[in-house]
Amino acid sequence: MAAALTPTRRAWGKRVLDRLTPTGLAVPAFLIAWSFLVIVPLLVIVMFSFFQVKSYRIVYEPSLATWETLIESGRWITAVRTLRIGITMTVIELLLAFPFALWLAKGCKSKTVKALIITLLTIPFFLDTSSRIIVWRSILGTNGFVNTVLMSSGLIDEPISWLLYSEFAVHFGMLGTYFPTMVFPIFMIMSLIDDDYIQASSDLGGSPGQTLLYVILPMSLPGVVAGVVFTLVPLMAAFTEPQMLGGGFVNLLGNSVNSALQELKYPTAAALSTVVVALLGLCLAALIMITRKRFDMSTMFQAIQR
Amino acid sequence: MIGSPSMPTMALIDERALGERSRFWRRISRWPGWPGVARALGFFAIAMIYVPMLWLAIMSFAESPLSGMPYPLTLGNYGALVEDERWIPPLQTSLVMSLLVALVCMVIATMVGRAITRMRRPGGVLLLTLLPLFVPGLTMGAALFIFLRTMLGLTMGLWSIFLAQLIWALPFALLLVLVIASRFDLRLLEAAEDLGAPPWRRFWDIEMPLLRPGVFGAGVFGFLLSFNELLRSLFLRGVETTMPIYNWAMAASQQSQVPIIFSLATIILVVTLPVMGLFFWFLFVKLDRS
């Protein structure tokens, strides 16, 4: 009985599967669902920031009240601070990552070392941040590792208090988290630069500095742009580091969104999220304006395809 | 690092004829220590990632993990962890959720990935699928929450966490499948068609075996990205808790809870680090060879 049933059922199933061509049905269906999950929510928060909450109910009447209170209550300072810390950290990571990516792509001769470093840089991307960030408290705190060592060695008389719960601590905790996103794109693009260009530059009498400035830097610009984008995007909504290392002194947009949501001030949260997206958009636009002459999206996809 | 000392410069430049400033810069740029500086900068940043993890493991054996010194050493935190059972349900939720996200990632990424390589203008589809990479997690989480909870009036729960993690993991899964699918030779399928194979057999017997590395990679990425996702799930959790949310809540709460986090995070690191290390090692060594 079962043996007789299975073939026909299989044949029917196969016929259905045969008709499921990728471009025919699956992809449009996916794209519609995806837009509902990604684009519609982003549009909704922009819209939502013009609504208000009155006695725990949302009033669906467009008004600028949320934005006005945002400016009056001084929350815009948070936006400025977030932008400042985000840009500072992006610059720091770029300064750390560019030379290292160059060494990794062109200077490091051992394939094993290269694979090892790439592996080490990939792993943190998949690790939970909160438990790793909270450890810094035990290193930087007033009776933490650094202060204990400095005190017992007699270098200082009383603990350095600005090490933890300060802007310094937040910056310091961010260093490791946002480094891989900067190195990776730059390294990928630099690996594609043909060694012959570099050799040609030096054959023509270019000093290493000139080769760097006129050959390597322009050719690795798409990677730098990608690195800046992928570092700045999460930095603009950084949440764990300021929460755990800022000790309430370093309030960033991410924390503001969270507290607004917890206080059920949805329009405020929506407005703050809009600010994040708008600031990011401005930064990206500025970046594209600066690098427009050199920037070409197709190089990014070439890098992916290789 | 730039240019090799083994091959001499062909152009002869009389440096004495150059100006004072350009001679100065040439000397600076020829300093042999630059590669060392570059290495030091990078290794410093890598240390910033791995020193905290090492310290986490050491302090999980300390009596008071938030103090500066690890000794006296004790197994007390691990004992407290065994007695405490509140972390087991979040871990189970995370494991099941990640498996589910991985599975769905594999299916959708294969479906869309192989279609994209066949489109004449794939740019729009690609950009739309990769869009979540350009939106901060927190913003995406808040936006999804406001849309689903307030606009549609739905109750948050495991399903909304699943959606949020899928939005995060799928772009990466798709990229991985794309890398493999863009190398796929479509003539193989034409040959199979000429030999009379129906579409499903063409896909399953010819295309799938060649796409398999990308598909499995998509699954692994989906699992890993979902397992440690905090920012999006945080807003969309409702009353559910995943492992990262539990970790975050404990770490952000009173300090008495922190010791358990240290030992729990250490155990998770000890299990996941070698597995991930091996996986990425093989991935990069293999990608390098192909």
Side-chain angles (χ1 to χ4, degrees), chain B residues 186-268:
Chain B
L186 288 175
R187 284 174 299 184
L188 289 174
L189 291 183
E190 284 166 23
E193 196 175 0
D194 290 346
L195 292 170
W200 174 250
R201 290 212 46 181
R202 295 205 294 267
F203 170 70
W204 191 251
D205 290 343
I206 296 167
E207 205 173 345
M208 194 58 194
L210 290 168
L211 290 185
R212 202 170 286 147
V215 176
F216 277 137
V220 174
F221 265 60
F223 183 90
L224 291 173
L225 285 169
S226 141
F227 189 71
N228 283 312
E229 211 291 315
L230 170 69
L231 293 174
R232 295 160 188 82
S233 347
L234 191 61
F235 294 140
L236 294 159
R237 67 179 193 266
V239 290
E240 305 290 342
T241 309
T242 64
M243 203 63 233
I245 297 176
Y246 179 82
N247 263 348
W248 177 80
M250 290 288 120
S253 72
Q254 337 78 312
Q255 306 216 328
S256 60
Q257 301 287 355
V258 169
I260 297 183
I261 290 306
F262 275 59
S263 38
L264 187 55
T266 306
I267 291 175
I268 292 180

Side-chain angles (χ1 to χ4, degrees), chain A residues 69-112:
Chain A
T69 45
L70 214 64
I71 293 167
E72 278 164 18
S73 67
R75 281 216 167 158
W76 61 275
I77 296 173
T78 316
V80 175
R81 188 186 297 133
T82 311
L83 194 63
R84 173 167 58 80
I85 291 183
I87 289 176
T88 314
M89 279 317 292
T90 310
V91 171
I92 293 175
E93 301 287 12
L94 182 61
L95 291 180
L96 287 176
F98 191 87
F100 188 63
L102 184 55
W103 172 77
L104 197 61
K106 294 292 166 206
C108 178
K109 294 284 177 255
S110 158
K111 278 200 165 175
T112 319

Side-chain angles (χ1 to χ4, degrees), chain A residues 8-139:
Chain A
T8 49
R9 203 186 258 169
R10 275 192 62 122
W12 179 82
K14 262 187 190 170
R15 248 179 303 155
V16 169
L17 283 169
D18 283 354
R19 241 170 257 153
L20 253 174
T21 51
T23 34
L25 186 70
V27 172
F30 162 76
L31 285 182
I32 290 170
W34 193 249
S35 324
F36 252 94
L37 285 175
V38 179
I39 295 178
V40 172
L42 288 175
L43 293 178
V44 161
I45 53 159
V46 178
M47 218 170 70
F48 220 85
S49 64
F50 294 102
F51 297 149
Q52 265 181 292
V53 172
K54 275 182 186 152
S55 57
Y56 299 106
R57 297 195 73 102
I58 293 139
V59 186
Y60 290 99
E61 271 173 33
S63 77
L64 285 170
T66 309
W67 288 97
E68 277 162 15
T69 45
L70 214 64
I71 293 167
E72 278 164 18
S73 67
R75 281 216 167 158
W76 61 275
I77 296 173
T78 316
V80 175
R81 188 186 297 133
T82 311
L83 194 63
R84 173 167 58 80
I85 291 183
I87 289 176
T88 314
M89 279 317 292
T90 310
V91 171
I92 293 175
E93 301 287 12
L94 182 61
L95 291 180
L96 287 176
F98 191 87
F100 188 63
L102 184 55
W103 172 77
L104 197 61
K106 294 292 166 206
C108 178
K109 294 284 177 255
S110 158
K111 278 200 165 175
T112 319
V113 173
K114 211 183 262 190
L116 189 71
I117 291 176
I118 295 173
T119 307
L120 280 178
L121 285 173
T122 319
I123 293 174
F125 189 60
F126 299 93
L127 291 177
D128 175 33
T129 40
S130 43
S131 46
R132 283 186 296 141
I133 295 300
I134 193 141
V135 179
W136 284 117
R137 279 194 191 169
S138 144
I139 299 176

Side-chain angles (χ1 to χ4, degrees), chain A residues 193-211:
Chain A
I193 298 178
D194 204 321
D195 285 341
D196 289 346
Y197 289 117
I198 296 166
Q199 188 63 48
S201 166
S202 106
D203 283 349
L204 292 169
S207 69
Q210 284 169 319
T211 310

Side-chain angles (χ1 to χ4, degrees), chain A residues 94 97-99 101-102 105-106 182-194 211-228 291 294-296 299-300:
Chain A
L94 182 61
F98 191 87
L102 184 55
K106 294 292 166 206
M182 184 64 95
V183 174
F184 240 122
I186 304 182
F187 163 74
M188 260 168 65
I189 291 285
M190 278 183 177
S191 313
L192 296 182
I193 298 178
D194 204 321
T211 310
L212 177 69
L213 200 61
Y214 297 117
V215 180
I216 295 176
L217 192 61
M219 289 182 92
S220 56
L221 210 53
V224 173
V225 171
V228 168
T291 55
R294 305 268 186 197
F295 190 64
D296 184 9
T299 21
M300 278 305 292

